[in-house]
Amino acid sequence: MYSMTFKKPLASVVRVAIIEDYKLTRVGLKCALDKIEGIEVVAEAQNALMGIEIVKKLHPDIVLMDLGLPGMNGFEAMDKIKNISPNTKIVVLTAHDSEEDTRNSFNFGASAYCLKDIDPQTLSCVIKNVAKGAFWADSAVADTVFKMFNKPKMSFEHGYYNSTIDKKLTPRENEVLKLLVKGKSNAEIAKELVVSTHTAKAHVCSILQKFCVEDRVSAAVKAVKEGFVAI
């Protein structure tokens, strides 16, 4: 069975539906997220079919879901969710960091791929930023994501991430971004651009803010996917 909580939504609140078959995990997620300002768990489901029904009724901003769900393949469920509610973003929360699962998740519409050892505060940041259009990948699967984006023939159908950068980067930020994608540290960026480390750090922070992401890896991945930097 599934449960729904009906509250008058606020414009600033991200409405989240959880699809997770383990009750203890489901309850723990709800308790943790309900404590975060700006996030409201509006529904929970223990399998994919129930989750799809929730999406039909509520069209939540975010679906937080496991991949190993009973009753339906998780990727098939993601495909159906994106068809039913294209504006709903999917955040995968799984214990597996396999290349196959990572690739399939993003091909079938996920905007984020999180491992279950993520701390609640980081997860809440991921949810809020994904709701704004950001893309996020756990560092454990970053290499796989980079390889995906480096293959031009890769198909990104099924409503895969298609956001835009809210604010344009400055010429200097574009230079910093190119070095960031190459994996350069703030100190290395500062040395190459002949600026202080503090200045380099400020540029990196500005890029993260404009990209609506929480870390350098996500910014680099987004830069490649959006065509800001070619690799």
Side-chain angles (χ1 to χ4, degrees):
M1 58 185 298
Y2 64 82
S3 62
M4 294 187 288
T5 303
F6 294 95
K7 296 179 182 178
K8 185 178 180 180
L10 301 175
S12 60
V13 172
V14 180
R15 300 165 62 250
V16 178
I18 299 171
I19 309 177
E20 164 64 53
D21 56 329
Y22 285 101
K23 183 175 181 179
L24 186 60
T25 302
R26 199 166 62 245
V27 171
L29 286 170
K30 184 179 188 308
C31 289
L33 293 176
D34 277 344
K35 294 177 182 178
I36 305 295
E37 184 178 357
I39 293 178
E40 178 187 0
V41 177
V42 295
E44 309 160 53
Q46 66 186 36
N47 61 51
L49 293 175
M50 293 175 181
I52 289 169
E53 289 303 311
I54 284 174
V55 173
K56 285 180 181 178
K57 290 180 172 69
L58 300 181
H59 295 278
D61 301 307
I62 298 287
V63 167
L64 179 63
M65 64 178 288
D66 194 0
L67 293 177
L69 297 168
M72 180 184 291
N73 179 282
F75 305 117
E76 183 181 355
M78 291 165 64
D79 192 26
K80 290 182 181 298
I81 287 169
K82 296 303 292 187
N83 284 324
I84 292 168
S85 185
N87 292 327
T88 294
K89 304 293 196 306
I90 298 174
V91 174
V92 170
L93 184 63
T94 178
H96 305 291
D97 61 357
S98 73
E99 182 172 330
E100 182 179 5
D101 283 350
T102 303
R103 287 178 177 276
N104 284 335
S105 292
F106 290 123
N107 275 327
F108 281 93
S111 291
Y113 194 96
C114 307
L115 297 183
K116 284 190 173 180
D117 60 356
I118 189 171
D119 66 83
Q121 194 62 45
T122 301
L123 179 60
S124 68
C125 288
V126 171
I127 289 172
K128 288 180 179 180
N129 283 302
V130 165
K132 296 176 185 177
F135 168 91
W136 196 89
D138 190 282
S139 59
V141 299
D143 287 344
T144 297
V145 177
F146 273 121
K147 285 190 289 185
M148 288 175 66
F149 293 160
N150 200 27
K151 292 183 179 181
K153 294 183 179 180
M154 194 69 183
S155 173
F156 291 100
E157 298 177 353
H158 307 289
Y160 179 74
Y161 176 75
N162 184 28
S163 67
T164 57
I165 306 302
D166 291 334
K167 302 175 184 177
K168 292 183 179 179
L169 299 181
T170 66
R172 177 61 89 184
E173 286 170 349
N174 275 309
E175 291 178 319
V176 171
L177 183 61
K178 291 176 183 178
L179 297 174
L180 189 152
V181 168
K182 292 180 180 179
K184 301 286 186 179
S185 67
N186 289 342
E188 291 171 327
I189 291 172
K191 183 177 180 180
E192 186 152 343
L193 298 181
V194 194
V195 298
S196 69
T197 302
H198 176 77
T199 298
K201 182 179 180 181
H203 285 312
V204 171
C205 289
S206 179
I207 291 169
L208 298 186
Q209 183 179 21
K210 290 180 179 181
F211 276 31
C212 291
V213 296
E214 291 296 312
D215 56 57
R216 302 163 70 93
V217 172
S218 298
V221 171
K222 188 168 186 175
V224 175
K225 174 64 181 73
E226 295 278 328
F228 282 80
V229 177
I231 60 173

